[in-house]
Amino acid sequence: MRIKNLILIITTLFSFSAYAQDMAEYTSGWEGILENPKVFNLKVEIENLGKENAKFKISNNKKIIDYPIIAKNNKQLEIPFAENYSFKGMLSKNGKEINGFIKSGILLYHLKLTQSDNNSFLGTWNILMIDELKSLNFNLSVENGEGNKYEAYPIFGDNRFTGTWCDNFQKENNLISFIDFKTGLQFKGKLEKNEIQLSILLGDNLLTEIELKKSITDWEIGGFKNDNRNTSILKLTEMENLISKDSFPNTHSVVISKKGEIIYENYFDGYNANIPHDMKSASKSISSAIVGLAKDKSLFKNVDQSIFDFLPEKYQTYNDSLKTKIDIQSLLTMSSGIDAIDYGINANPKSSATEDNYQRTPDWIEAILKAPMIHKPNTKANYGSANPSLLGVAMDSIVSEPLEFFIDKFLFQKLEISNYIIQTDLRDKPYFGGGMYLTPKDMLKFGELYLNKGKWKSKRIISRKWVQNSFKNYRNLENVTDKNGYGYLWWHNTYNANEKNIKSIEARGNGGQYIFVIPCLQTVVVITSGNYRNGKTQQPEIIFEKHILPYL
C-alpha cells in the first residue's frame, strides 16, 4: 500500500510538473483585483540626513525599501536603493528641500522632497504617473505560449496609465518572470493549475501580490467620467458636448490662458490636473529650450557648429565631408539631410534612421550616423526624431552636471514645475526625441514662457533672441501632409476663424498632444489626447479652429 501511495504521489507531481511546463495551457486572458487604489503611489522619505543612522525609505501601506544612506556629501545624494534602481538628489541652498530623480526603467521620475517637522524629507513617487487608481481591475494577457516560451502583458483597468513595455520573458519550472522596461516594475508569477499567483516588485522588494484567474468575460477598461466641475471664465459648451458624445474621442484635457490668466480648464475621461501626460514629440520643443539655455550660458559658441564638435571619439569615424556640415541649426530645423524620413510602409527598413529603426539597435547614435545622407544640411526639412536625438548627445557633452539636473535647475524649477518625468535613451540620458511627461497646466507654463519671449512671472529664463530665432519659419517640412513651416523644433500653422487668418506656433506630439502659442491673441492653448492608432492625432487642430478660436 505504501508503494502504491508513493507511486501515486510521484505520478501526480510529475503530471503537474509536465503540465506547468507548457505555456500553451496558459495562453489566455487572466484577471484579478489589486489590493487598494494607492498601491503604486509610493511615499519616499529621507530620514536623519547627515547622521549615522540616515535612511532612504519607500512605502505604500507597508514598508518596501529601508536603505541606509552612506553619504560623503549631504548636498549631493546618490542612493542605489535596489538593483537597477537609484535616487540622485541635490539639497537646496536653504536646506528645506531635495530635488532629484528616481531612475526606474527608462524613466527619470522627478521628486521634490520637502523637509517636515521631524526633520525628514518627504515626497511622493507615482510610478504609474496617476495619483490614484480609479479601477482596481488588473489583467494579464499571456500570448504565444509554447513549451517554455511565452509573452505576457499587464493591462490595468485604469487606462490613464500609459501602459507597460514588457520584455525579458523567463520561465523556470512553474515560475515565470518578466520586466516592464518603461517603468522598471518587475513581475514574478507562480503557475498553479487554474490560477497564476503574480507578484509585482521593485527589484526584489514586493509592492503587491495578485491572484489571477482565467477571464471568462470581456475586460472592463477605462470609461471614467469627469470628476471636475468646470468653473472657467470662457464657456465652451459646444466643444464639451461633442467630447461627451465621443465626437472628439480620447480628449483628455483642454487648458487655455490669455495674458497669463487661465480662462478655461477642463479634464475628461477621468483625467485631472495632477496627472503628468505623455507629451510624446511635443517635448521636442522643450529640447529646443534646453539648447537655448546652453547657448545663453555660452556652453557652445553658435548654432553653426558641427555636431561632430560635440560627439564622443567613438562616433568620429562617421565624420565625412558631407556629414561634418550637420550643425546644431540643421538639427533644430529638421534639416540635417540624414535619411530619417518615415513614409510608413515605404520607409527603408535597413538604412533609414527612423525612430522605429534606430531604437531597435544597441547604439541609437551609431545607427543614426550610419544612415545615408539624402540632402545637403540646411537645405531641405524632413520631420524625424533622429535630429533632436543628436542634439541630446551634444548638450550632454557640454553641461557640467547630469543633463537632467541642468534641465531641472535652469528650466523647470524656474517655472515652478516639479511633477514631471523624463524618458531616457539607452545611455540613461534624457532623450531629446520626445517622451517627457508634464501636467497640462505645466505644459501651459512652457507655452507662456515662449509667448512672453523668454520671461515667466517677469523673470528672464531664456533670452529673447533665442525665442525669436526659435519662432522663425526656416523652411517647410517636406514629409508631412500639410507641408508646415518649421522653426527650432516648433511647428507653424495658420487657422481661420471669423474670416480671419490666425497664425499659431505649436509643439506637437503623437496621439494629439498640442501646445498652441498664438501671439496675436496673447493666448496659449493646451490639448492632450490619447489617439495613437486611430488616425486622429491631429484632432486637436479641429477642436482649436472650430470650437475654441471663434470664442477667443
Side-chain angles (χ1 to χ4, degrees), residues 84-98:
N84 298 322
Y85 303 84
S86 64
F87 172 79
K88 293 181 181 179
M90 299 186 71
L91 186 66
S92 63
K93 289 182 180 180
N94 63 10
K96 298 294 185 182
E97 66 184 40
I98 297 171

Side-chain angles (χ1 to χ4, degrees), residues 271-481:
Y271 282 78
N272 62 52
N274 301 316
I275 299 175
H277 203 283
D278 188 352
M279 294 176 65
K280 298 294 186 178
S281 287
S283 62
K284 285 180 170 69
S285 300
I286 296 177
S287 301
S288 172
I290 306 310
V291 179
L293 286 168
K295 176 65 176 66
D296 290 345
K297 297 180 184 305
S298 300
L299 298 183
F300 66 97
K301 294 178 182 178
N302 55 63
V303 294
D304 299 329
Q305 282 183 260
S306 170
I307 185 61
F308 288 94
D309 291 352
F310 306 91
L311 296 181
E313 183 64 30
K314 63 183 288 190
Y315 300 120
Q316 294 299 324
T317 183
Y318 301 104
N319 187 3
D320 60 33
S321 59
L322 188 54
K323 283 181 179 171
T324 195
K325 295 178 182 177
I326 299 173
D327 57 19
I328 297 297
Q329 178 151 301
S330 71
L331 297 171
L332 287 165
T333 57
M334 297 291 180
S335 307
S336 66
I338 292 176
D339 182 4
I341 307 171
D342 190 354
Y343 288 121
I345 60 173
N346 296 317
N348 187 331
K350 294 182 180 180
S351 63
S352 67
T354 63
E355 200 167 31
D356 281 346
N357 284 348
Y358 69 72
Q359 287 192 356
R360 297 176 188 271
T361 69
D363 188 330
W364 294 1
I365 304 307
E366 181 180 50
I368 291 169
L369 293 171
K370 273 184 176 179
M373 297 290 286
I374 55 175
H375 300 295
K376 183 180 176 182
N378 288 306
T379 59
K380 295 181 182 294
N382 286 283
Y383 185 85
S385 294
N387 296 283
S389 298
L390 293 177
L391 284 174
V393 180
M395 295 305 101
D396 183 59
S397 74
I398 58 177
V399 298
S400 58
E401 63 261 72
L403 184 54
E404 61 270 23
F405 282 91
F406 180 87
I407 296 169
D408 185 59
K409 181 180 179 181
F410 294 111
L411 181 62
F412 289 140
Q413 285 190 38
K414 302 285 188 183
L415 292 173
E416 299 175 13
I417 293 173
S418 61
N419 182 15
Y420 69 93
I421 302 162
I422 299 175
Q423 182 180 320
T424 66
D425 58 21
L426 293 185
R427 305 168 305 125
D428 292 336
K429 306 289 187 179
Y431 176 53
F432 272 37
M436 278 191 182
Y437 294 70
L438 265 67
T439 68
K441 287 173 75 172
D442 288 341
M443 292 168 68
L444 194 81
K445 288 180 184 178
F446 180 70
E448 288 176 340
L449 172 67
Y450 271 74
L451 177 68
N452 295 321
K453 300 179 175 62
K455 283 187 174 182
W456 191 72
K457 288 189 173 180
S458 301
K459 293 182 180 179
R460 174 67 60 192
I461 296 177
I462 301 177
S463 68
R464 183 186 188 98
K465 183 178 180 181
W466 183 263
V467 174
Q468 288 174 336
N469 289 339
S470 298
F471 275 6
K472 287 180 182 177
N473 185 353
Y474 290 88
R475 51 190 64 88
N476 292 352
L477 295 169
E478 298 191 359
N479 63 328
V480 300
T481 303

Side-chain angles (χ1 to χ4, degrees), residues 55-105:
K55 294 283 188 70
F56 180 82
K57 296 182 175 182
I58 296 178
S59 59
N60 46 25
N61 59 332
K62 58 183 178 294
K63 182 172 69 176
I64 300 167
I65 301 287
D66 192 344
Y67 188 85
I69 299 174
I70 303 173
K72 297 179 181 179
N73 182 351
N74 291 323
K75 292 184 178 180
Q76 296 182 12
L77 301 173
E78 187 166 345
I79 306 169
F81 60 85
E83 187 177 0
N84 298 322
Y85 303 84
S86 64
F87 172 79
K88 293 181 181 179
M90 299 186 71
L91 186 66
S92 63
K93 289 182 180 180
N94 63 10
K96 298 294 185 182
E97 66 184 40
I98 297 171
N99 279 282
F101 297 88
I102 285 182
K103 177 67 171 68
S104 184

Side-chain angles (χ1 to χ4, degrees), residues 114-172:
T114 306
Q115 192 176 38
S116 65
D117 293 339
N118 65 356
N119 209 33
S120 292
F121 291 84
L122 301 174
T124 302
W125 175 20
N126 294 328
I127 196 166
L128 300 188
M129 297 83 173
I130 53 181
D131 51 359
E132 182 178 61
L133 291 168
K134 282 185 171 287
S135 169
L136 296 182
N137 293 339
F138 178 90
N139 311 296
L140 185 69
S141 177
V142 179
E143 303 172 11
N144 303 319
E146 182 180 357
N148 286 336
K149 295 180 180 180
Y150 70 99
E151 297 170 18
Y153 302 101
I155 299 170
F156 290 79
D158 191 335
N159 63 345
R160 299 174 304 163
F161 167 54
T162 56
T164 57
W165 299 350
C166 290
D167 202 354
N168 195 27
F169 306 106
Q170 304 288 327
K171 181 176 182 297
E172 184 176 352

Side-chain angles (χ1 to χ4, degrees), residues 13-73:
L13 288 172
F14 178 79
S15 299
F16 177 72
S17 176
Y19 173 84
Q21 291 298 312
D22 190 359
M23 289 304 297
E25 297 291 333
Y26 291 88
T27 297
S28 180
W30 299 79
E31 60 187 47
I33 300 295
L34 292 160
E35 57 183 292
N36 68 68
K38 290 279 192 179
V39 68
F40 296 103
N41 303 108
L42 307 178
K43 176 184 175 183
V44 178
E45 180 179 5
I46 293 179
E47 185 180 83
N48 300 322
L49 182 64
K51 300 179 181 179
E52 288 187 4
N53 59 342
K55 294 283 188 70
F56 180 82
K57 296 182 175 182
I58 296 178
S59 59
N60 46 25
N61 59 332
K62 58 183 178 294
K63 182 172 69 176
I64 300 167
I65 301 287
D66 192 344
Y67 188 85
I69 299 174
I70 303 173
K72 297 179 181 179
N73 182 351

Side-chain angles (χ1 to χ4, degrees), residues 163-201:
T164 57
W165 299 350
C166 290
D167 202 354
N168 195 27
F169 306 106
Q170 304 288 327
K171 181 176 182 297
E172 184 176 352
N173 297 324
N174 66 331
L175 301 178
I176 61 172
S177 66
F178 50 96
I179 184 172
D180 172 25
F181 70 87
K182 181 168 74 173
T183 64
L185 288 172
Q186 312 267 344
F187 296 84
K188 293 185 178 179
K190 184 178 181 182
L191 306 177
E192 307 287 359
K193 190 166 185 179
N194 295 307
E195 65 184 43
I196 299 175
Q197 296 290 337
L198 189 70
S199 300
I200 305 178
L201 311 98

